[in-house]
């Protein structure tokens, strides 16, 4: 049984102009210790997905249907009290901007101890000892000193290390990291990603890494989901998706990377932009931008086709598979 | 002289520091019964010299806080340098009055990072584009102005019939196109682009980069392109300048910099780019963090994090020296042939 199983998740935002579906029909699983990447452009719904797993959506957003199974509990329908024992404890979250997630008026030590005491019946001294151990694990120089410091006294990279230490504080089973290195510089990003990778491997923690950086995903994760306009359009082992993308959008995304083009030549661009969620076109939501668009794409929503170890929601891929099958039969 | 060596913009020994000690009253302190004035500065640029050659795209890369945006703004005349010279086509421009600067402003335009902040929300696109043309050509006939606007809008792929809309009606990519159109409207020769694609998604980044390359080809533009994204540099840049803590570490033709980076910082920076190809490359780990530009380290600014630093690096500031292969590097190790 997988550690986390998300089934047909749908998230709605009730706006004055009508309900907007930020996530539609999202299903995936996560095994213990697995690292899963979620990629997509801004507005694709990847952060909403991260939030809705531990039901952190705030009004007007809500899970309108579907389920999130974690160890036999459906997190989507759990009472707030029960959810609290899982949130932060078994599933923790790391956000993009460490300055926004750390409380500026409390010292690092107070914030760490608070988090431990909220979930465990231990003494303050023990909590402090655990905090110190976690700070050592994230390789912060002079960790004893850090406990008495305020967030503003630390650099961006150091703050993100603290946030990771807090995320690991209660030895969770899953860490959801929402763009954990986007606010950081490349050299710091490389260090932090390396650190997260090692910590997840050592502690057998599953990681859901939400990012728009395909390079980071390819280095850290084992499996990945590609999202477009609130849906998963392709999922599979990271290496296969990166090296042999099936969906025209994933292909376009890869080809648009500067390292995929010959220096000095034009980049391969995807025309147009992602539609706003209120105006998602009929049929496949990518059809107005797709260069292989067919009539069926404008009419019918594509379902998932198995292709190798990947699942792709594309009529073209489905047809080419069918053709191959027909050829075999003949 | 500038015409001879083919450079459009010359920056010589540029220094820029910002005071962070507030006004006079904040600076006064009592020490040992005496009233003293105490001032602190952020040393944003410390002796940068570079030439932007005609028709090239010179990329300036570095991590946040290294002074790359300050270089861009100082070159544009948006900030006054603390010391040093900036020349445009051999004429010194850093000490000109606003009025004297006017003809140069028409030749030099800027594109900013965040198209959500750089377009006036209360002006229509038409007004936004009309303003610079009218300002620089007060006597131009309305019909001609409108023609130019329609032409630049078409050239950046924005439908001229959208002119009456406001900027909030456009997506990020479209807004950045409009900012580019605004820069192109006065027919400049030189464009400073400060992280023009950092706020955009990957697929949109490609569109905007292509647009900038097209414009360069058609209008014979020269770019000073500020970015932290090395993969963009590899694609777009003719030459690359790598900055660290307000100083220039390395300046080299793009191909050369990517095939054989010389400065230890450039090497570390290159190895840190997440790549698609191999799953976990060994990156060069830098110890510590970037020091604050308030109290600059002595000697080479990079010595505290450099794995090859020795006594000389801690004492003496390295100068940018030209190597045989055309790379300019400021590093004692390279100079002494030990790197």
């Amino acid at each position: 049984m997988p550690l986390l199983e998300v089934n047909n998740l749908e998230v709605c935002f009730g706006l004055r102009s009508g309900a907007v579906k930020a996530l539609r029909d999202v299903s995936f699983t996560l095994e213990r210790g697995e690292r899963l990447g979620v990629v997509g452009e801004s507005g694709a719904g990847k952060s909403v997905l991260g939030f809705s797993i531990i039901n952190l959506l705030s009004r007007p957003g809500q899970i309108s249907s579907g389920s999130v199974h974690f160890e036999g509990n459906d997190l989507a329908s759990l009472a707030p009290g029960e959810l609290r024992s899982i949130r932060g404890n078994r599933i923790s979250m790391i956000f993009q901007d460490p300055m926004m997630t750390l409380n500026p008026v409390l010292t690092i030590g107070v914030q760490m101890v608070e988090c431990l005491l909220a979930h465990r019946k231990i003494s303050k001294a023990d909590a402090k000892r655990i905090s110190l151990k976690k700070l050592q694990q994230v390789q912060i120089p002079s960790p004893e000193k850090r406990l008495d410091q305020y967030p503003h006294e630390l650099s961006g990279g150091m703050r993100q290390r603290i946030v990771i230490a807090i995320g690991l504080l209660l030895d969770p089973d899953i860490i959801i990291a929402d763009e954990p290195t986007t606010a950081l510089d490349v050299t710091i990003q490389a260090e932090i990603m390396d650190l997260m990778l090692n910590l997840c491997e050592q502690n057998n923690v599953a990681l859901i890494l939400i990012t728009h950086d395909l390079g980071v995903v390819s280095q850290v994760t084992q499996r990945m989901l590609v999202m477009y306009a609130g849906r998963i359009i392709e999922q599979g082992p990271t290496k296969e998706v990166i090296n042999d993308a099936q969906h025209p959008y994933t292909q376009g995304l890869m080809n648009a990377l500067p390292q995929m083009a010959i220096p000095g030549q034009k980049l391969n661009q995807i025309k147009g932009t992602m539609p706003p969620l209120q105006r998602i076109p009929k049929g496949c939501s990518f059809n107005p931008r797709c260069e292989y668009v067919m009539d069926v794409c404008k009419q019918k929503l594509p379902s998932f086709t198995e292709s190798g170890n990947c699942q792709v929601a594309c009529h073209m891929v489905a047809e080419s598979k069918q053709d191959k099958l027909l050829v075999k039969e003949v | 002289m500038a015409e001879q060596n083919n450079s459009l913009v010359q920056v010589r020994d540029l220094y820029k520091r910002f005071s962070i000690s507030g006004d006079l009253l904040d600076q006064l302190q009592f020490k040992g019964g005496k009233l003293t004035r105490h001032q602190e500065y952020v040393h944003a640029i410390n002796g940068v010299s570079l030439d932007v050659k005609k028709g090239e795209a010179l990329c300036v890369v570095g991590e946040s806080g290294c002074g790359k945006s300050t270089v861009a703004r100082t070159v544009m005349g948006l900030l006054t340098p603390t010391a040093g010279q900036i020349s445009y086509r051999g004429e010194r421009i850093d000490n000109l009055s606003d009025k004297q600067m006017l003809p140069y402003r028409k030749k030099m335009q800027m594109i900013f990072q965040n198209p959500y902040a750089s377009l006036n929300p209360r002006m229509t696109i038409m007004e936004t584009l009309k303003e610079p043309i009218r300002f620089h050509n007060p006597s131009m006939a309305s019909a001609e102005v409108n023609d130019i606007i329609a032409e630049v809008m078409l050239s950046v792929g924005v439908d001229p019939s959208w002119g009456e809309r406001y900027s909030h009606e456009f997506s990020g990519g479209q807004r950045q196109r409009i900012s580019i159109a605004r820069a192109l409207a006065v027919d400049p020769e030189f464009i400073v682009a400060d992280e023009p694609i950092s706020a955009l998604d990957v697929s949109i980044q490609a569109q905007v980069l292509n647009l900038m390359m097209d414009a360069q080809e058609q209008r014979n533009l020269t770019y000073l392109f500020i970015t932290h994204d090395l993969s963009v540099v590899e694609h777009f840049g003719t030459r690359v300048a790598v900055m660290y803590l307000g100083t220039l570490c390395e300046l080299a033709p793009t191909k050369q910099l990517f095939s054989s980076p010389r400065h230890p910082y450039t090497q570390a920076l290159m190895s840190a780019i997440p790549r698609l190809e191999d799953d976990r490359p060994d990156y060069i780990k830098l110890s510590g963090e970037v020091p604050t530009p308030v109290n600059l380290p002595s000697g080479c600014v990079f010595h505290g994090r450099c794995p090859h630093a020795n006594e000389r690096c801690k004492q003496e500031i390295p100068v940018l020296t030209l190597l045989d292969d055309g790379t300019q590097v400021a590093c004692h190790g390279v100079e002494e042939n030990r790197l």
Side-chain angles (χ1 to χ4, degrees), chain A residues 40-42 139 155-158 161 185-192 194 197-198 201 212-216 218-220 239 242-243 253-254 256-273 289, chain B residues 62-65 68 171 173-174 177 200-211 213-214 228-232 234-236 265 268-269 271-281 283 285-290 305:
Chain A
E41 296 180 82
S42 26
Q139 295 160 17
S155 68
M158 207 109 85
R161 281 171 200 266
D185 283 311
V186 269
T187 54
I188 312 288
Q189 165 175 304
E191 272 177 55
I192 299 275
D194 212 46
L197 188 59
N198 288 337
E201 266 174 2
H212 64 272
D213 192 330
L214 291 162
V216 169
S218 81
Q219 273 173 29
V220 176
K239 272 209 180 115
I242 298 252
N243 294 330
L253 215 52
M254 300 293 168
L257 293 176
Q259 58 244 50
M260 288 296 173
I262 306 156
Q265 298 282 303
K266 277 189 126 189
L267 293 172
N268 313 304
Q269 62 187 47
I270 310 176
K271 61 178 184 193
T273 51
R289 300 176 74 188
Chain B
E63 297 180 82
S64 39
K68 49 191 196 303
S171 68
Q174 283 170 326
R177 285 164 189 272
L200 308 173
D201 276 314
V202 182
S203 73
I204 311 299
Q205 280 187 357
Q207 293 175 359
V208 171
L209 266 187
N210 279 346
L211 171 66
M213 286 166 80
D214 282 346
H228 65 269
D229 189 341
L230 281 161
S231 57
V232 170
E234 187 174 11
H235 186 76
F236 187 81
Y265 176 64
L269 201 61
S271 70
I273 321 173
R275 293 252 171 208
L276 290 181
E277 298 93 49
D278 30 309
D279 36 2
R280 270 177 81 184
Y283 71 91
K285 244 187 192 165
L286 290 178
S287 52
E289 311 228 353
V290 186
R305 301 175 77 193

Side-chain angles (χ1 to χ4, degrees), chain A residues 41-219:
Chain A
E41 296 180 82
S42 26
K46 45 191 201 306
S47 288
V48 172
L49 175 61
F51 283 123
S52 50
I53 289 172
I54 44 175
N55 214 338
L56 269 183
L57 294 166
S58 50
R59 286 184 150 279
Q62 58 169 355
I63 296 175
S64 41
S65 69
S67 62
V68 181
H69 281 286
F70 174 72
E71 293 189 329
N73 291 319
D74 180 9
L75 301 187
S77 57
L78 219 54
E82 290 172 89
L83 199 57
R84 212 171 293 138
S85 67
I86 290 172
R87 233 189 239 158
N89 189 11
R90 312 295 308 281
I91 305 179
S92 68
M93 189 140 183
I94 295 171
F95 298 92
Q96 174 172 352
D97 187 352
M99 203 55 212
M100 303 287 278
T101 33
L102 292 171
N103 189 331
V105 297
L106 297 178
T107 61
I108 304 298
V110 170
Q111 299 188 45
M112 295 184 85
V113 167
E114 182 186 38
C115 177
L116 274 166
L117 294 182
H119 289 282
R120 286 193 195 160
K121 289 195 172 69
I122 50 173
S123 71
K124 236 178 170 172
D126 280 343
K128 217 165 179 177
R129 213 174 42 244
I130 296 173
S131 307
L132 197 61
K133 212 180 102 207
K134 292 293 171 190
L135 285 183
Q136 279 158 353
Q137 272 187 18
V138 297
Q139 295 160 17
I140 280 189
S142 47
E144 304 81 10
K145 212 176 108 194
R146 307 296 165 207
L147 285 177
D148 298 322
Q149 282 185 316
Y150 290 91
H152 72 90
E153 295 177 78
L154 306 170
S155 68
M158 207 109 85
R159 277 185 219 136
Q160 199 60 300
R161 281 171 200 266
I162 304 264
V163 173
I164 293 172
I166 294 179
L168 288 167
L169 212 47
L170 294 143
D171 299 312
D173 295 305
I174 304 175
I175 293 182
I176 302 170
D178 188 0
E179 306 259 10
T181 55
T182 308
L184 306 173
D185 283 311
V186 269
T187 54
I188 312 288
Q189 165 175 304
E191 272 177 55
I192 299 275
M193 262 0 289
D194 212 46
L195 176 74
M196 282 185 68
L197 188 59
N198 288 337
L199 289 173
C200 287
E201 266 174 2
Q202 280 165 21
N203 304 329
N204 202 22
V205 180
L207 175 72
I208 298 180
L209 179 69
I210 299 168
T211 178
H212 64 272
D213 192 330
L214 291 162
V216 169
V217 165
S218 81
Q219 273 173 29

Side-chain angles (χ1 to χ4, degrees), chain A residues 240 244 246 304-312 314-329:
Chain A
E240 280 177 50
D244 185 24
Q246 305 275 324
F304 277 107
T305 315
E306 299 283 338
S307 168
N309 296 315
C310 303
Q311 290 176 303
V312 192
C314 175
H315 288 303
M316 188 184 63
V317 176
E319 274 188 20
S320 72
K321 285 282 157 200
Q322 218 157 33
D323 288 349
K324 269 183 205 156
L325 285 179
L326 287 177
V327 170
K328 265 185 201 164
E329 275 168 26

Side-chain angles (χ1 to χ4, degrees), chain B residues 31 34 36 39 75 84 89 95 118 124 135 142 144 149 153 187 198 206 238 240 304 310 317 339:
Chain B
K31 248 186 200 164
K34 264 192 199 162
T36 53
Q39 273 176 297
V75 166
R89 286 190 183 275
N95 52 1
S118 63
T124 62
F135 182 76
S142 281
E144 203 179 334
I149 292 174
M153 280 177 88
D187 199 17
S198 308
T238 321
V240 189
N310 63 11
I317 299 176
L339 287 181

Side-chain angles (χ1 to χ4, degrees), chain A residues 233-234 245-253 270 286 290-292 312-314 316-317:
Chain A
I233 52 141
E234 180 158 2
Q246 305 275 324
H247 197 284
Y249 174 67
T250 321
Q251 288 173 357
L253 215 52
I270 310 176
F286 186 59
C290 183
E291 46 185 318
Y292 308 107
V312 192
C314 175
M316 188 184 63
V317 176

